[in-house]
Amino acid sequence: MRTCENCKVTLRYDGRRCPLCHHTLQEGGGEDVYPYIPTLRQQHGLLFKAMQLASVAAAVAAVALNLLLPHTGLWSLFVLCGLVCAWLSLEVCIRKRKNLLKVVCYQVVLLSGFAVLWDLFTHWRGWSVTYVIPGLCLCAMLIVPILNRLLGLDVHELLIYLVILALFCAVPALFAATGLATALWPTLVCVSGSVLSLAALLIFGGGAMRSELRRRLHYK
């Protein structure tokens, strides 16, 4: 605890100068006017440590078993990569947790990238662009109306993310048109579900969304 005689404040701070006026801080003080707010990791520190230990244990066990059974191939690498992907995805959720729509968009991009990389490094078969990416886009478009219904999201923010997700759902159609996708039905299901989701938001979203669309499109 340090005190700034100039600002008349006491704060928990390790520096020598006040962050407000840059005067030299004095040791000691009374009540902390800048209370300590723990982060999510600090609030659930034991849980995160347990998850980290479990991940390390799974990685060690997989590598050890793979070394004992070398004839089974390097399958432990898939376990290690899976753990890395899971922790990266969790990190995105933690950092963007205050904006659930942003979490949805980030997860679609991140998981799609992971799927494509896994497909590339396992002798490309096209399952990532045929099934995984359309499935992720469809899930995202179905989640948005649910979030809007439960949380009452701001219409301006909602429209921005709807446009982004609609562009995401156009990507599977591009894969199908260029022949990268080996099956057509996942793309059709994705695009159809996206259209229905957008229609549901416009129909049940109230006049605010329609007014915002008219305003942005300069339509009277």
Side-chain angles (χ1 to χ4, degrees):
M1 301 289 289
R2 299 188 177 213
T3 303
C4 176
E5 297 295 338
N6 185 50
C7 297
K8 306 300 181 185
V9 296
T10 303
L11 61 156
R12 182 178 291 143
Y13 183 58
D14 295 330
R16 287 189 165 188
R17 296 189 176 275
C18 175
L20 301 176
C21 66
H22 303 290
H23 278 69
T24 303
L25 294 173
Q26 304 297 322
E27 291 291 343
E31 182 182 358
D32 189 358
V33 296
Y34 293 129
Y36 173 71
I37 300 176
T39 64
L40 184 65
R41 287 185 179 85
Q42 292 168 335
Q43 290 176 342
H44 306 282
L46 182 60
L47 175 61
F48 278 98
K49 290 178 180 178
M51 292 170 60
Q52 290 169 358
L53 180 60
S55 299
V56 173
V60 171
V63 172
L65 187 60
N66 201 176
L67 291 175
L68 291 173
L69 302 170
H71 60 279
T72 58
L74 296 176
W75 54 267
S76 59
L77 292 177
F78 294 98
V79 176
L80 297 177
C81 291
L83 290 171
V84 171
C85 293
W87 276 103
L88 287 175
S89 181
L90 179 62
E91 183 68 20
V92 169
C93 291
I94 293 173
R95 289 182 176 273
K96 305 298 179 182
R97 66 186 182 278
K98 294 183 179 180
N99 190 327
L100 293 180
L101 289 177
K102 188 174 288 188
V103 170
V104 172
C105 291
Y106 271 81
Q107 290 296 330
V108 170
V109 174
L110 188 64
L111 296 178
S112 297
F114 287 155
V116 171
L117 288 175
W118 277 69
D119 205 354
L120 282 172
F121 287 109
T122 54
H123 307 291
W124 178 266
R125 293 180 175 84
W127 53 265
S128 59
V129 297
T130 303
Y131 301 105
V132 177
I133 294 179
L136 289 172
C137 292
L138 178 61
C139 289
M141 290 299 293
L142 294 177
I143 288 172
V144 170
I146 297 174
L147 290 177
N148 181 51
R149 187 68 178 175
L150 293 176
L151 304 178
L153 300 173
D154 181 73
V155 65
H156 306 281
E157 185 181 28
L158 182 62
L159 281 176
I160 294 172
Y161 287 103
L162 276 176
V163 171
I164 294 173
L165 291 173
L167 292 175
F168 284 164
C169 292
V171 174
L174 181 62
F175 290 150
T178 55
L180 286 175
T182 58
L184 183 61
W185 68 266
T187 300
L188 292 177
V189 172
C190 174
V191 174
S192 301
S194 302
V195 172
L196 288 174
S197 179
L198 287 170
L201 281 170
L202 292 175
I203 292 171
F204 298 104
M209 183 173 292
R210 291 190 290 272
S211 299
E212 181 66 15
L213 274 177
R214 286 195 294 268
R215 187 183 71 81
R216 290 179 178 269
L217 296 175
H218 305 288
Y219 176 75
K220 297 182 179 181

